Each structure stands twice: as structure tokens, then as C-alpha cells.
Amino acid sequence: MPRTINTHLLFTAMSPTSEILAYDSNPPMLPKWLNKGDNAWQMIGATLVGLQSMPGLVILYGSIVKKKWTVNSAFMALYAFASSLLVWVLVGYRMAFGEELLPFWGKAGPALGQSYLVRRSHLPATAHYFNNGTLEMAMVEPFFPQAALVIFEFAYAAITLILLAGSVLGRMNIKAWMAFSPLWLVFSYTVGVFSLWGGGFLYQWGVMDYSGGYVIHLSSGISGFTAAYWVGPRLKCDKERFSPNNILLMITGAGLLWMGWSGFNGGEPFSAGITAAIAVLNTHICAATSLLVWTFLDVIFFEKPSVIGAIQGMMTGLVCITAGSGLVHSWAAILMGIVSGSIPWFTMMILHKKSAILQKVDDTLGVFHTHAIAGLIGGLMTGLLAIPELCDDDTTSIPGQKGTAYGGGIVQMFKQLIGAIFIIVWNVFTTTVLLLIIGMIIPLRMPDDELLIGDDAAHGEEAYALWGDGEKFDATRHETIVHHASVNAEDSVNSHHNQNGCHGVTIQL
């Protein structure tokens, strides 16, 4: 028979005062509504999602680009993460989850006061009633403090902005990015969050978005594509040759992103319960399936498996399942992985090369395909495949929600489509307005002469103690000693640049 331990005697023996503080009737800072397991899981989830950005995407961005853009790409992610936190606690959180100002926006306000942060978390903040006066949707009150929800939702906000940055790597003026990122968070991201999660009109209408297929991925993909259009393209030579500078680090960053998705989707039920476990399992099933499908397609059409392609497939799987990870069967996660590994592959590898519109916009990492397309697919498939039992168990779902395949009717697919259209239109509009305004003050794109150099021109720093691959050699900057030089260094550099100045340089000795 299994042994049992008398915890009362154990704790009494260990405590000099014979007090069992953890189970006191009124312990300090331990209210009766607090569930330690849920609180711990929510903070772990926030940490996992934070690790996806820091250092996950910092490493991924710094390694997937050309060597001369390593520092700049990593810093864009680093800056976005830090600036997002201050914006979030000063005004952003309550614009996304606070009291209703407009049907799509909450009232701005700080989330810093102790009285606000230690009380029980709740959402939505504003109650909605039917015409007969009955409550339309009951308030959800997870068993952890408001502080846990603030930090968890911040991690979502930060990674959304960093994903957007993937579209403009390799040419956006870092000063323009520093101005754009906090403004986009306030005027674009918070609207999508409030509308779909914070009690806004799409939330009340019943549009399903479990962990951010629309709120995070569709918005980052559309805004990134829009930003890439207004910022302008990279140098021609950079577009033609933009191979990663470190494949192993790229895989490391991608691995942190994949494993961190356990917190991304597992933390959304706001409890360490059954739905969280299902969401985590579905997340990994879909990601693995999508990665394999993308890889097989690469082998079939290009005869070689691509590591970059495998990472893209992993990404589209993670993005696709996000909207419904806690709402669908695990066999449906396989189906979603097949679709997310094939349709974005087709749009990126085939359609992109034939479309004049897609060719005109220089989306550096293909965020439009991996996030906008995959996020849209995930949202629509969730509307089709969400099962009633899991919808009822999801604390943030409208009562009675279910997918079209389970009796939800075609109206649920229509709702999912309208929700996507709203996110697309709003993000195109706000991103365009913000960049046009910023562009009047700060150039959005770095000058060509600085684009030739890269990190050294943008930051005065370089990632590696090497030079070449497009950087403009400066003997005084790099403290190089050339013995018996027969050719002036600057002349040697200029003679080896092509018309775009993108070839490596050779110093003739």
C-alpha cells in the first residue's frame, strides 16, 4: 500500500512556533481566492513567452540575417521588448483590458498601483447586458492577482511587436523604429486585444481567438507587410543574397521559440487545468506536423531539405494552432499542421515569385506568409473545428460557442472572417498613418551608403571580429596595420565594390 504522510505533523515539527503559515485562515498577502498552482503556472507562462522574445527572437533575428545586420536585427528586438513593458504598464494594459471607452478600445490608465495589482484579476472590466437587462457575459475571475495577468499579457504584446520587426530587418532606420514601436503598441495592438479579448464588440459577438491567431499573428503579419511597403526595400544585392550568418544559432533561437510556445498557448486558459494540457499538446503536434510537411515539400520540389524551410514550417504550425489550441481535438491539430505546412509554403515559395504585389514589397523574413497567412488559416479552421466541450471549459469563451462542424452553423465561420477583416483593415490603417507621420520627422529607411556598411554605420558596433561581406573597410576604424601596402586601402575597397557596393573587400598587400 502507498505510504501517506501527515502533513500537519510534518509542518508542525518543522516550524519552531508550531504555526502552519501556508494554511492559516488569514495569512499575510495570501487571500482565500488565490490558487498557488494557477498563480505559479501563470508566471511560468509569462516567463516562457518572455523567453521566446528574450533571448529567443533576439538570437533568431541576429543569426538569420547577413553578418553585417546581426547587431541591428538583434537590437530591434531588444529595444521593442524593453519599450513595450513601460508602455504596457503606463497605458497599454488598461487600453486592452480596462473599462470600455469605445466598442473596440479601453480607457487608458496605469497598471502600477499596489491596490490595483494585488487584487484578484478579472476580465472583461465592463459588463454588457442584453436588451432585456440580463447579463450577456459573466466576468471571468482567475485565481491569481492582477499583477500576474499584467505581466503575462505584456509578454504577448512584446512578442507581437518583435514579430512585426521581422518584415523590416536590414534597412529600417533604427531611430524610426524606436519611435514607431511604442506608438504601434498603443494605437494598433491594444485595439485588437480589446476587441477580441478585453470585452470589445468582437469578443461579445463570439469571434474565437484562443491565444492570439488574430490578435498577435495576423496583426503582426499585416502590419509588418504594410511597414515593409512604406519603409522601402533592402539594397538589391542584399535581397539577392541574404544568407544566415550562423545556422546553429538560428536553430537555437527557433528552439527557444518552439518550447516557449508551451507557455504561449498553455497560459491562456488562466489556470493549470485540463485545457492548458490539451493546448500544450496540440501546439507541439501541429508544429511538428507543419515542419515535416514543409520539409517534404522542399525535398519534392527542390530536391533538398532546407533548415530555414524547416524553421518556417515550424513557425507556421505554431501560428496556425494558436487560435484554437485549447478548443480543438488533437487529430484536428494534425490537420491544421498539414494545412499550415502547405498553404504558406505555396504562398511563399510559388505565389510570391509570380505576384507583382508581393514582389514589390520586401518582407525580409516573410512574416506575411508565416504569420498573416498562417494566422488567418488558424482562425478560420478554429471556427470550423472548435468542439463544444472545450469551448465551454475555456473561461474566456462566450457560452454555447462551437465550431461549424459541431453545430455552430456557417455563422461562426462568418464571424471568424469578419474578425479577420477588422484586424487587417485596422492594422493597415494605423501602421500607414504612424509611418507617414514618423517619416515626416525621421527618415524611415537608412541611406544607401549606410546600408552598404550595416551594423557599424547604424550602431558603431559589429557582431564578430571579422570584416567583409559588404561592410566598407575603414583602416582607422578597424585599426588594421597593412605592411608594405602597394595600394591605398580606400581605393582598394572602392575598386572591389560593384554598383551596389555589396561585395566583400580585399586588401592588396
Side-chain angles (χ1 to χ4, degrees):
M1 294 181 62
R3 294 175 55 191
T4 59
I5 298 175
N6 190 321
T7 55
H8 177 83
L9 294 176
L10 178 62
F11 278 94
T12 302
M14 295 175 63
S15 174
T17 60
S18 298
E19 293 181 357
I20 311 172
L21 293 178
Y23 301 100
D24 267 357
S25 59
N26 189 27
M29 295 301 291
L30 192 62
K32 293 181 179 180
W33 50 258
L34 179 66
N35 183 299
K36 292 182 179 180
D38 288 351
N39 190 40
W41 173 238
Q42 206 63 31
M43 291 188 290
I44 290 171
T47 303
L48 288 172
V49 180
L51 286 171
Q52 290 183 289
S53 300
M54 280 290 296
L57 284 171
V58 172
I59 294 174
L60 180 62
Y61 283 5
S63 56
I64 202 171
V65 297
K66 289 181 76 169
K67 176 169 63 66
K68 72 174 185 177
W69 291 114
T70 298
V71 173
N72 181 258
S73 300
F75 181 77
M76 287 179 70
L78 177 64
Y79 174 83
F81 189 83
S83 64
S84 297
L85 179 54
L86 286 184
V87 172
W88 191 246
V89 296
L90 288 173
V91 295
Y93 176 79
R94 297 183 81 161
M95 293 178 76
F97 292 99
E99 296 179 0
E100 182 178 304
L101 174 66
L102 297 170
F104 55 87
W105 222 349
K107 295 180 181 178
L112 291 168
Q114 195 70 6
S115 60
Y116 180 78
L117 295 174
V118 301
R119 70 185 185 183
R120 187 175 179 179
S121 59
H122 62 279
L123 68 156
T126 301
H128 287 260
Y129 297 89
F130 291 108
N131 292 333
N132 60 8
T134 58
L135 185 64
E136 184 174 348
M137 176 64 180
M139 179 183 291
V140 176
E141 294 184 289
F143 297 104
F144 50 75
Q146 194 74 21
L149 189 59
V150 171
I151 190 64
F152 180 80
E153 295 296 341
F154 149 71
Y156 274 171
I159 197 172
T160 306
L161 191 53
I162 295 172
L163 292 173
L164 186 163
S167 294
V168 293
L169 298 180
R171 83 279 199 178
M172 186 171 186
N173 186 338
I174 189 62
K175 296 177 182 177
W177 173 252
M178 293 170 71
F180 170 76
S181 52
L183 292 175
W184 185 87
L185 191 70
V186 170
F187 292 102
S188 187
Y189 179 74
T190 57
V191 169
V193 176
F194 185 84
S195 299
L196 280 159
W197 287 346
F201 74 105
L202 294 176
Y203 173 86
Q204 299 294 335
W205 194 34
V207 177
M208 292 187 285
D209 186 12
Y210 181 80
S211 292
Y214 286 174
V215 170
I216 295 172
H217 299 296
L218 183 60
S219 65
S220 62
I222 293 298
S223 289
F225 190 77
T226 305
Y229 173 81
W230 290 111
V231 172
R234 291 166 288 170
L235 293 176
K236 181 181 178 182
C237 62
D238 278 348
K239 289 183 64 176
E240 294 173 348
R241 185 175 180 272
F242 207 71
S243 55
N245 69 82
N246 194 315
I247 293 286
L248 293 180
L249 277 181
M250 183 180 72
I251 297 173
T252 301
L256 286 168
L257 199 64
W258 187 348
M259 293 300 102
W261 228 282
S262 293
F264 197 108
N265 289 344
E268 182 57 30
F270 302 143
S271 68
I274 294 174
T275 305
I278 292 174
V280 172
L281 177 61
N282 287 346
T283 296
H284 296 299
I285 289 175
C286 187
T289 304
S290 182
L291 184 153
L292 295 175
V293 169
W294 193 295
T295 300
F296 291 154
L297 288 172
D298 278 346
V299 172
I300 292 170
F301 286 89
F302 305 119
E303 298 183 353
K304 293 180 180 180
S306 165
V307 175
I308 298 178
I311 290 175
Q312 301 281 33
M314 173 206 80
M315 185 73 72
T316 55
L318 293 168
V319 169
C320 180
I321 195 62
T322 296
S325 56
L327 304 177
V328 301
H329 283 295
S330 292
W331 62 259
I334 296 178
L335 180 61
M336 294 173 77
I338 294 172
V339 176
S340 63
S342 53
I343 293 181
W345 181 91
F346 174 77
T347 63
M348 178 181 285
M349 309 305 295
I350 306 297
L351 183 62
H352 186 95
K353 299 175 182 178
K354 298 180 178 181
S355 170
I357 296 177
L358 294 177
Q359 283 287 310
K360 186 177 181 180
V361 180
D362 182 18
D363 181 359
T364 307
L365 299 185
V367 179
F368 175 77
H369 304 282
T370 57
H371 292 272
I373 298 295
L376 177 61
I377 292 171
L380 294 177
M381 293 191 72
T382 298
L384 176 66
L385 299 171
I387 60 177
E389 295 83 0
L390 289 176
C391 288
D392 291 340
D393 192 54
D394 180 23
T395 56
T396 59
S397 292
I398 300 295
Q401 276 188 314
K402 49 191 170 183
T404 298
Y406 295 91
I410 194 66
V411 68
Q412 186 61 52
M413 293 293 292
F414 177 72
K415 290 178 180 180
Q416 298 299 112
L417 183 61
I418 295 300
I421 291 173
F422 173 77
I423 293 295
I424 291 170
V425 171
W426 184 260
N427 278 275
V428 169
F429 171 74
T430 53
T431 303
T432 297
V433 171
L434 288 174
L435 287 174
L436 289 177
I437 294 174
I438 293 171
M440 296 177 183
I441 305 170
I442 307 171
L444 298 179
R445 185 176 181 269
M446 294 171 62
D448 283 358
D449 59 337
E450 293 184 6
L451 291 177
L452 298 177
I453 303 170
D455 288 338
D456 202 5
H459 303 277
E461 299 168 318
E462 296 170 338
Y464 305 104
L466 302 168
W467 59 271
D469 194 28
E471 300 91 331
K472 183 177 179 181
F473 180 78
D474 184 341
T476 59
R477 168 70 179 81
H478 296 274
E479 300 178 352
T480 300
I481 300 176
V482 181
H483 298 286
H484 309 295
S486 59
V487 180
N488 179 271
E490 184 68 23
D491 293 339
S492 177
V493 171
N494 293 335
S495 67
H496 285 80
H497 279 305
N498 67 354
Q499 60 180 348
N500 288 308
C502 293
H503 287 311
V505 296
T506 304
I507 300 298
Q508 298 181 7
L509 302 180

